[in-house]
Amino acid sequence: MNLSYLLDPAHWDPSVSGSFPQLLLSHLWYVFLALLIGTVIALPIGLYIGHTGKGSFIAINAGNAGRSLPTLGLLMLMVTLLGLGLLPVLIALTVLVVPPILTSTYAGMRTLDRRVVDAAKGMGMRPWQVLTRVELPMALPVLMGGFRSAALQVVATATVAAAVGLGGLGRLLIDGLAVNDYSRVLAGAIVVAVLAVVLDLFLALVQRWVVSPGVSGRF
């Protein structure tokens, strides 16, 4: 295993173009934007479907539809239609993010103990209060599980941005393969894998912080 590219201090200098810190920041920016846009789209839809029970077929089939779409193929289609740039990449990554968040939100809402929800209604809570104060906090563990799954998928798949001339850690893979520099390819694969693990651990801490101890079972 040749780790010379990964261990070279020059490649960790933030002032050097194409260094690990610069590529990492670009990669995280793509991941952040895709997760933000995907959550803004999927979360309200999932909450509405889970709260009302209307349109459940959308949430049930969203997961299968998301897994069946080839991200690279979708990216190439978007590039053909929209040209090069960040927008085609964001569309492709957002399509990857939406299904797990949508299905986990719906699943979390529909697996709640309905007796608790009925008790909240019996106390005179309005529908929006039941949603925000009872259903959403109780559904957070499942919802966060879907968000973590989406984050891991988009961290790995954001490497396709390099295929259309953008930055990110995918540059190490694309450029390394172009010149048969397999040390660079290996370095890129290792950094992406480590980033995915670190991000998942961070989101696990966030989940522990935002989920009520009574819901998580820590009490």
Side-chain angles (χ1 to χ4, degrees):
M1 183 182 294
N2 189 352
L3 299 177
S4 58
Y5 193 94
L6 180 66
L7 300 178
D8 188 344
H11 296 146
W12 290 94
D13 186 349
S15 63
V16 176
S17 178
S19 63
F20 285 112
Q22 291 189 3
L23 296 177
L24 181 61
L25 287 177
S26 299
H27 198 90
L28 287 173
W29 178 241
Y30 304 149
V31 171
F32 170 77
L33 287 178
L35 287 173
L36 176 62
I37 297 171
T39 301
V40 168
I41 294 172
L43 184 60
I45 298 175
L47 290 176
Y48 173 79
I49 295 174
H51 180 69
T52 63
K54 299 177 181 179
S56 58
F57 68 96
I58 297 176
I60 294 172
N61 293 313
N64 293 330
R67 284 190 292 268
S68 64
L69 283 174
T71 304
L72 184 58
L74 178 61
L75 175 60
M76 294 300 110
L77 175 62
M78 292 297 102
V79 168
T80 302
L81 297 176
L82 303 174
L84 296 175
L86 181 59
L87 182 58
V89 173
L90 284 182
I91 292 175
L93 294 179
T94 300
V95 169
L96 186 69
V97 168
V98 167
I101 295 180
L102 176 58
T103 54
S104 65
T105 303
Y106 168 76
M109 295 287 287
R110 299 311 294 176
T111 55
L112 298 179
D113 188 341
R114 305 315 299 178
R115 293 173 298 179
V116 178
V117 177
D118 292 339
K121 294 177 180 178
M123 292 174 61
M125 284 189 175
R126 299 180 182 274
W128 67 270
Q129 291 176 317
V130 174
L131 174 63
T132 57
R133 298 184 182 182
V134 179
E135 291 179 320
L136 181 56
M138 293 179 64
L140 268 180
V142 179
L143 194 158
M144 283 298 300
F147 186 83
R148 289 170 63 183
S149 175
L152 292 179
Q153 291 182 51
V154 78
V155 163
T157 313
T159 53
V160 301
V164 293
L166 296 183
L169 295 173
R171 287 255 61 91
L172 298 170
L173 307 178
I174 299 296
D175 296 343
L177 289 173
V179 296
N180 294 325
D181 185 355
Y182 296 107
S183 175
R184 188 186 307 188
V185 175
L186 178 62
I190 291 175
V191 174
V192 170
V194 171
L195 176 61
V197 172
V198 171
L199 181 60
D200 189 53
L201 291 175
F202 171 74
L203 291 176
L205 291 176
V206 172
Q207 178 175 341
R208 183 178 177 85
W209 178 64
V210 300
V211 176
S212 168
V215 174
S216 65
R218 296 201 302 275
F219 281 171

